[in-house]
Coordinates of all heavy atoms in Angstrom, one line a residue:
T2 N 15.0 23.6 39.4 CA 16.3 23.6 39.2 C 16.4 24.2 37.8 O 17.4 25.0 37.5 CB 16.9 22.2 39.1 OG1 16.6 21.6 40.4 CG2 18.4 22.1 38.9
K3 N 15.7 23.9 36.8 CA 15.9 24.4 35.4 C 15.9 25.9 35.4 O 16.5 26.6 34.8 CB 14.8 23.8 34.6 CG 15.0 24.3 33.0 CD 13.9 23.5 32.2 CE 14.1 24.1 30.8 NZ 13.1 23.4 29.9
S4 N 14.8 26.4 36.2 CA 14.5 27.9 36.2 C 15.9 28.6 36.8 O 16.3 29.6 36.3 CB 13.3 28.2 37.2 OG 13.2 29.6 37.3
K5 N 16.3 28.0 37.9 CA 17.7 28.6 38.6 C 18.8 28.6 37.5 O 19.6 29.5 37.5 CB 17.9 27.7 39.7 CG 17.0 28.0 41.0 CD 17.5 27.2 42.1 CE 16.5 27.5 43.3 NZ 16.9 27.0 44.7
Q6 N 18.9 27.5 36.8 CA 20.0 27.3 35.7 C 19.9 28.4 34.7 O 20.7 29.1 34.2 CB 20.1 25.9 35.2 CG 20.6 25.0 36.1 CD 20.4 23.5 35.5 OE1 19.7 23.3 34.6 NE2 21.1 22.6 36.1
T7 N 18.6 28.6 34.4 CA 18.3 29.7 33.2 C 18.7 31.1 33.7 O 19.3 31.8 33.0 CB 16.9 29.5 32.9 OG1 16.6 28.2 32.4 CG2 16.5 30.6 31.8
D8 N 18.2 31.3 35.1 CA 18.6 32.6 35.7 C 20.0 32.8 35.7 O 20.5 33.9 35.4 CB 17.8 32.8 37.0 CG 16.3 32.9 36.9 OD1 15.9 33.1 35.7 OD2 15.8 32.7 38.0
S9 N 20.8 31.7 36.1 CA 22.2 31.8 36.3 C 22.9 32.1 34.9 O 23.7 32.9 34.7 CB 22.8 30.6 37.0 OG 24.1 30.6 37.0
G10 N 22.5 31.3 33.8 CA 23.0 31.5 32.6 C 22.8 32.8 32.0 O 23.6 33.5 31.4
T11 N 21.6 33.4 32.3 CA 21.2 34.8 31.8 C 22.2 35.7 32.5 O 22.6 36.7 31.8 CB 19.7 35.1 32.0 OG1 19.0 34.2 31.3 CG2 19.4 36.5 31.6
G12 N 22.3 35.6 33.8 CA 23.1 36.6 34.6 C 24.6 36.5 34.1 O 25.2 37.6 34.0
T13 N 25.1 35.3 33.8 CA 26.4 35.2 33.3 C 26.6 35.9 31.9 O 27.6 36.5 31.8 CB 26.9 33.7 33.2 OG1 26.8 33.0 34.5 CG2 28.2 33.5 32.6
R14 N 25.7 35.7 31.2 CA 25.8 36.3 29.7 C 25.8 37.7 29.8 O 26.6 38.3 29.2 CB 24.6 35.7 28.9 CG 24.6 36.1 27.4 CD 23.4 35.6 26.7 NE 23.6 35.7 25.3 CZ 23.2 36.7 24.6 NH1 22.7 37.8 25.2 NH2 23.5 36.9 23.3
E15 N 24.9 38.3 30.7 CA 25.0 39.7 30.8 C 26.2 40.2 31.4 O 26.7 41.3 30.9 CB 23.6 40.1 31.7 CG 23.5 41.7 31.8 CD 22.1 42.0 32.4 OE1 21.7 41.4 33.2 OE2 21.6 43.1 31.9
A16 N 26.6 39.6 32.4 CA 28.0 39.9 33.0 C 29.0 40.0 31.9 O 29.9 41.0 31.9 CB 28.3 39.0 34.2
L17 N 29.0 38.9 31.0 CA 30.1 39.0 30.0 C 29.9 40.1 29.0 O 30.8 40.7 28.5 CB 30.0 37.6 29.3 CG 30.5 36.4 30.1 CD1 30.0 35.1 29.4 CD2 31.9 36.4 30.2
L18 N 28.6 40.4 28.7 CA 28.3 41.4 27.7 C 28.8 42.8 28.3 O 29.4 43.5 27.5 CB 26.8 41.6 27.5 CG 26.1 40.4 26.7 CD1 24.7 40.6 26.7 CD2 26.7 40.6 25.2
L19 N 28.5 43.0 29.5 CA 28.9 44.3 30.2 C 30.5 44.5 30.4 O 31.0 45.5 30.0 CB 28.2 44.6 31.5 CG 26.6 44.8 31.3 CD1 26.0 44.8 32.7 CD2 26.2 46.0 30.6
A20 N 31.0 43.3 30.7 CA 32.5 43.3 30.8 C 33.2 43.6 29.5 O 34.2 44.3 29.3 CB 33.0 42.0 31.4
G21 N 32.7 42.9 28.5 CA 33.3 43.0 27.1 C 33.0 44.4 26.6 O 33.9 45.0 26.1
E22 N 31.8 44.9 26.8 CA 31.6 46.4 26.4 C 32.6 47.3 27.0 O 33.2 48.1 26.4 CB 30.1 46.6 26.8 CG 29.7 48.1 26.4 CD 28.3 48.3 26.8 OE1 28.0 48.4 28.1 OE2 27.5 48.6 26.0
R23 N 32.8 47.2 28.3 CA 33.7 48.1 29.0 C 35.0 47.9 28.5 O 35.8 48.9 28.3 CB 33.6 47.9 30.5 CG 34.7 48.7 31.2 CD 34.4 48.4 32.8 NE 34.6 47.1 33.2 CZ 35.8 46.6 33.5 NH1 36.9 47.2 33.2 NH2 35.8 45.3 33.9
L24 N 35.6 46.8 28.4 CA 37.0 46.5 27.9 C 37.2 46.9 26.5 O 38.2 47.6 26.1 CB 37.3 45.0 28.1 CG 37.5 44.5 29.5 CD1 37.9 43.0 29.6 CD2 38.6 45.4 30.3
F25 N 36.2 46.6 25.6 CA 36.4 47.1 24.2 C 36.3 48.6 24.2 O 37.0 49.3 23.5 CB 35.2 46.6 23.4 CG 35.2 45.0 23.1 CD1 34.1 44.4 23.0 CD2 36.4 44.4 23.0 CE1 34.0 43.0 22.8 CE2 36.4 43.0 22.8 CZ 35.2 42.4 22.6
A26 N 35.5 49.2 25.0 CA 35.4 50.8 25.0 C 36.7 51.4 25.4 O 37.1 52.3 24.9 CB 34.3 51.1 26.0
E27 N 37.3 50.8 26.5 CA 38.5 51.3 27.1 C 39.8 51.0 26.3 O 40.6 51.9 26.2 CB 38.8 50.8 28.5 CG 37.6 51.4 29.5 CD 37.7 50.8 30.9 OE1 38.3 49.7 31.0 OE2 37.4 51.5 31.9
N28 N 39.9 50.0 25.6 CA 41.1 49.3 25.1 C 41.1 49.2 23.6 O 42.1 49.0 23.0 CB 41.5 48.2 25.7 CG 41.7 48.2 27.3 OD1 42.4 49.0 27.7 ND2 40.9 47.5 28.0
G29 N 39.9 49.2 22.9 CA 39.8 48.8 21.6 C 39.5 47.2 21.4 O 39.8 46.5 22.2
I30 N 38.9 46.9 20.3 CA 38.4 45.6 20.1 C 39.6 44.7 19.9 O 39.5 43.5 20.5 CB 37.4 45.6 18.8 CG1 36.1 46.3 19.3 CG2 37.2 44.1 18.5 CD1 35.1 46.5 18.1
D31 N 40.5 45.1 19.2 CA 41.6 44.2 18.9 C 42.5 44.0 20.1 O 43.2 42.8 20.1 CB 42.5 44.6 17.8 CG 41.9 44.6 16.4 OD1 40.9 43.7 16.2 OD2 42.1 45.5 15.5
A32 N 42.5 44.7 21.0 CA 43.5 44.6 22.2 C 42.8 43.7 23.4 O 43.5 43.5 24.3 CB 43.7 46.0 22.7
V33 N 41.6 43.3 23.2 CA 40.9 42.5 24.2 C 40.7 41.1 23.8 O 40.2 40.9 22.7 CB 39.6 43.2 24.7 CG1 38.9 42.4 25.7 CG2 39.8 44.7 25.1
S34 N 40.9 40.1 24.7 CA 40.8 38.8 24.4 C 39.5 38.2 25.1 O 39.0 38.9 26.2 CB 41.9 37.9 24.8 OG 42.1 37.9 26.2
L35 N 38.9 37.1 24.7 CA 37.8 36.4 25.4 C 38.2 36.1 26.9 O 37.5 36.2 27.8 CB 37.3 35.3 24.8 CG 36.6 35.5 23.4 CD1 36.2 34.2 22.8 CD2 35.4 36.5 23.6
R36 N 39.5 35.6 27.1 CA 39.9 35.4 28.4 C 40.1 36.6 29.3 O 39.5 36.5 30.5 CB 41.3 34.7 28.2 CG 41.9 34.2 29.6 CD 43.4 33.6 29.5 NE 43.3 32.5 28.6 CZ 43.0 31.2 29.1 NH1 42.9 31.2 30.5 NH2 43.1 30.2 28.4
Q37 N 40.4 37.7 28.8 CA 40.3 38.9 29.6 C 38.8 39.3 30.0 O 38.7 39.8 31.1 CB 41.0 40.0 28.9 CG 42.5 40.0 28.8 CD 43.1 41.1 27.8 OE1 42.5 41.0 26.7 NE2 44.0 41.8 28.3
I38 N 38.0 39.1 29.1 CA 36.7 39.3 29.4 C 36.0 38.4 30.4 O 35.3 38.8 31.3 CB 35.7 39.3 28.0 CG1 36.2 40.4 27.2 CG2 34.1 39.4 28.4 CD1 35.6 40.3 25.6
N39 N 36.4 37.1 30.4 CA 36.0 36.2 31.3 C 36.5 36.6 32.8 O 35.6 36.7 33.8 CB 36.6 34.8 31.2 CG 35.9 33.9 30.0 OD1 34.9 34.2 29.9 ND2 36.7 33.4 29.3
T40 N 37.6 37.1 32.8 CA 38.2 37.5 34.2 C 37.4 38.7 34.6 O 37.1 38.9 35.8 CB 39.7 37.8 34.1 OG1 40.4 36.7 33.6 CG2 40.3 38.3 35.4
A41 N 37.1 39.7 33.7 CA 36.5 40.9 34.2 C 35.2 40.7 34.5 O 34.7 41.5 35.4 CB 36.7 42.0 32.9
A42 N 34.5 39.8 33.9 CA 33.2 39.4 34.3 C 33.1 38.5 35.6 O 32.0 38.0 36.0 CB 32.4 38.7 33.3
G43 N 34.2 38.1 36.2 CA 34.3 37.3 37.4 C 33.9 35.8 37.1 O 33.5 35.2 38.1
Q44 N 34.2 35.4 35.9 CA 34.1 34.0 35.6 C 35.2 33.1 35.8 O 36.3 33.3 35.4 CB 33.6 33.9 34.2 CG 32.4 34.7 33.7 CD 31.1 34.3 34.7 OE1 30.8 33.2 34.8 NE2 30.5 35.2 35.3

Side-chain angles (χ1 to χ4, degrees):
T2 302
K3 183 176 180 180
S4 175
K5 287 182 179 180
Q6 289 174 342
T7 301
D8 291 344
S9 176
T11 300
T13 297
R14 188 176 190 277
E15 186 170 30
L17 289 164
L18 287 169
L19 292 174
E22 180 182 66
R23 176 174 61 80
L24 291 179
F25 290 146
E27 293 177 331
N28 303 299
I30 292 172
D31 290 332
V33 178
S34 68
L35 291 181
R36 183 178 293 275
Q37 289 171 309
I38 293 169
N39 283 327
T40 300
Q44 300 303 306

